[in-house]
Amino acid sequence: YNSLSSKTSELIMKQVRANPQLLICTATGGTPSGAYQELSQHSTELFSEARFIKLDEWGGIPMDDPGSCELYLQDKLIKPLAIDKERYYSLNSQTDDAESECRRIQSFLDKNGPIALCILGLGLNGHLGFNEPADELRPFCHVAQLTQTSLSHPMIVNHEIDIRYGLSLGMANILTSQHIFLLVNGEHKIDIFNTLLSQSITTQCPASFLWTHPNVTCILDESVAPATWPDGLEIDYA
Ligand code: GLP
């Protein structure tokens, strides 16, 4: 996990050096926290022009709740890297009108997108952000119906607030990113990672749509690596 985190933070910094004003989309959850921690140790100078957008949020949770994606990102990335308000775009979890909040963020992306670097975790059920396995997926920022798997995520499990929905960037927002980093860590992700490696593209595993993207870097730890890889992938044992 430590090398996954260092490698990820190195690769993020490389992208920022190449394009200081880039728009970075950030997932939350357990997987990227080590990488964010590493980034936060570096000089804020490198990030003085970078812009960030939050990938997803739990609906109805207070923005300063310890389980919120907002507090997670504020604590791990936004404050340590001294990202000012003008350079951080964030779905508000506590709005009376979640649909209009999603339209607000979508309209920001329409004007300021596409995302240059999208940092994603792999949901246990194959979700990306809150694009959950379903018969149909949504392209743009939307109010998402959460699966039981997401509702059992460690960030909010046993939470007193009854979380009924999520707010999330959509599949097209993700797939039009110029570069995507997919981080996968831990033995509990082996099954879903193998499903992903099967290269079957299905709405029942939203992450499988990453196969349609020309520029995805998947960074994983040793425990998830399979014995054999599908043909055509560039593998780097860093
Ligand atoms: C949560 C988050 C996502 C995250 C995913 C994986 O639902 N909202 O942004 O990518 O689950 O989380 P983890 O890395 O903890 O497995």
Side-chain angles (χ1 to χ4, degrees):
Y1 181 69
N2 290 343
S3 28
L4 173 146
S5 301
S6 321
K7 186 75 197 171
T8 306
S9 91
E10 265 169 41
L11 291 173
I12 294 172
M13 290 191 291
K14 194 172 163 195
Q15 297 272 325
V16 181
R17 277 187 207 106
N19 174 12
Q21 293 174 355
L22 85 181
L23 177 62
I24 309 180
C25 173
T26 43
T28 58
T31 317
S33 54
Y36 295 163
Q37 163 78 19
E38 294 241 358
L39 281 183
S40 70
Q41 319 277 314
H42 287 84
S43 147
T44 58
E45 186 59 32
L46 179 62
F47 293 89
S48 61
E49 293 174 83
R51 299 166 300 144
F52 288 81
I53 184 164
K54 179 168 68 173
L55 172 66
D56 56 1
E57 185 57 275
W58 309 103
I61 200 170
M63 290 284 264
D64 59 357
D65 187 285
S68 69
C69 300
E70 182 64 25
L71 194 67
Y72 171 110
L73 286 176
Q74 288 288 348
D75 284 352
K76 296 190 190 331
L77 220 47
I78 303 302
K79 284 185 195 152
L81 294 180
I83 307 302
D84 46 55
K85 275 191 193 138
E86 290 67 40
R87 291 186 291 123
Y88 173 54
Y89 315 100
S90 173
L91 282 156
N92 182 354
S93 55
Q94 263 197 311
T95 165
D96 293 339
D97 186 347
E99 298 283 353
S100 112
E101 177 59 3
C102 290
R103 282 195 298 274
R104 181 181 75 84
I105 290 293
Q106 183 58 44
S107 129
F108 164 80
L109 275 173
D110 291 343
K111 290 190 198 106
N112 300 283
I115 292 163
L117 173 61
C118 188
I119 302 166
L120 299 172
L122 175 62
L124 266 182
N125 59 2
H127 73 205
L128 294 179
F130 286 134
N131 294 280
E132 298 273 37
D135 290 342
E136 292 173 359
L137 301 175
R138 301 281 303 276
F140 305 124
C141 189
H142 63 282
V143 176
Q145 200 180 337
L146 297 177
T147 57
Q148 208 43 55
T149 309
S150 292
L151 291 168
S152 309
H153 190 278
M155 285 175 85
I156 50 128
V157 75
N158 301 325
H159 204 283
E160 298 141 13
I161 295 170
D162 186 17
I163 290 166
R164 292 162 190 253
Y165 62 91
L167 301 105
S168 183
L169 299 196
M171 292 302 290
N173 300 134
I174 292 172
L175 293 170
T176 53
S177 303
Q178 289 157 353
H179 202 140
I180 296 175
F181 289 175
L182 176 70
L183 314 187
V184 191
N185 173 67
E187 286 179 7
H188 60 305
K189 296 282 173 76
I190 289 176
D191 286 351
I192 190 63
F193 190 62
N194 281 330
T195 303
L196 183 59
L197 285 183
S198 73
Q199 298 187 340
S200 163
I201 298 172
T202 160
T203 60
Q204 298 304 327
C205 177
S208 65
F209 281 80
L210 294 175
W211 287 109
T212 67
H213 192 283
N215 206 7
V216 177
T217 303
C218 182
I219 309 159
L220 49 142
D221 78 348
E222 228 171 15
S223 71
V224 191
T228 53
W229 290 96
D231 290 339
L233 299 182
E234 194 183 315
I235 314 288
D236 174 11
Y237 294 94

